[in-house]
């Protein structure tokens, strides 16, 4: 049994990249126009960058764990199938 692979269209990829760019620009403009000290703006900028970084890292970690689980399950299924085939073979004497 082969699992279906999800492939995203180019339009979806462009849409998500564009959405990220717009959100990042809006955040940067919001911090730039914030009526606060330079150090407060720096704090918000570092927090925004760290939030994006951790979101990407978390997403990649969860996806990698899911992919590893799928691979492990495929290996276990293959081992079980081979064992069943070996058991069902008649022995030649």
């Amino acid at each position: 049994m082969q699992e279906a692979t999800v492939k995203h269209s180019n339009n979806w990829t462009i849409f998500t990249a564009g959405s990220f760019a717009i959100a990042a620009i809006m955040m940067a403009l919001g911090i730039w126009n914030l009526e606060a000290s330079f150090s407060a703006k720096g704090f918000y900028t570092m927090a925004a960058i760290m939030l994006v970084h951790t979101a990407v890292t978390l997403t990649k970690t969860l996806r990698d764990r899911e992919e590893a689980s799928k691979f492990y399950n495929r290996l276990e299924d293959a081992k079980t199938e081979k064992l069943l085939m070996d058991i069902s073979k008649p022995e030649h004497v």
Side-chain angles (χ1 to χ4, degrees):
M1 181 169 120
Q2 188 165 355
E3 296 179 31
T5 319
V6 178
K7 300 220 181 214
H8 297 295
S9 69
N10 286 338
N11 288 338
W12 177 252
T13 304
I14 291 168
F15 172 76
T16 55
S19 296
F20 175 79
I22 290 170
I25 290 168
M26 289 172 62
M27 175 64 80
L29 288 173
I31 292 172
W32 179 266
N33 292 317
L34 186 66
E35 293 182 15
S37 66
F38 184 72
S39 60
K41 289 181 180 184
F43 173 79
Y44 289 128
T45 302
M46 287 187 304
I49 290 169
M50 188 165 183
L51 181 62
V52 170
H53 176 270
T54 55
V56 169
T57 305
L58 177 62
T59 303
K60 183 182 181 329
T61 301
L62 293 175
R63 183 175 180 144
D64 288 350
R65 187 172 69 180
E66 179 70 22
E67 290 297 318
S69 171
K70 288 179 185 176
F71 180 70
Y72 177 77
N73 289 337
R74 286 195 311 250
L75 281 177
E76 288 300 312
D77 290 344
K79 287 178 186 177
T80 304
E81 187 174 332
K82 183 180 182 318
L83 180 64
L84 290 172
M85 287 176 62
D86 288 347
I87 290 172
S88 65
K89 284 182 184 177
E91 290 187 26
H92 296 280
V93 182

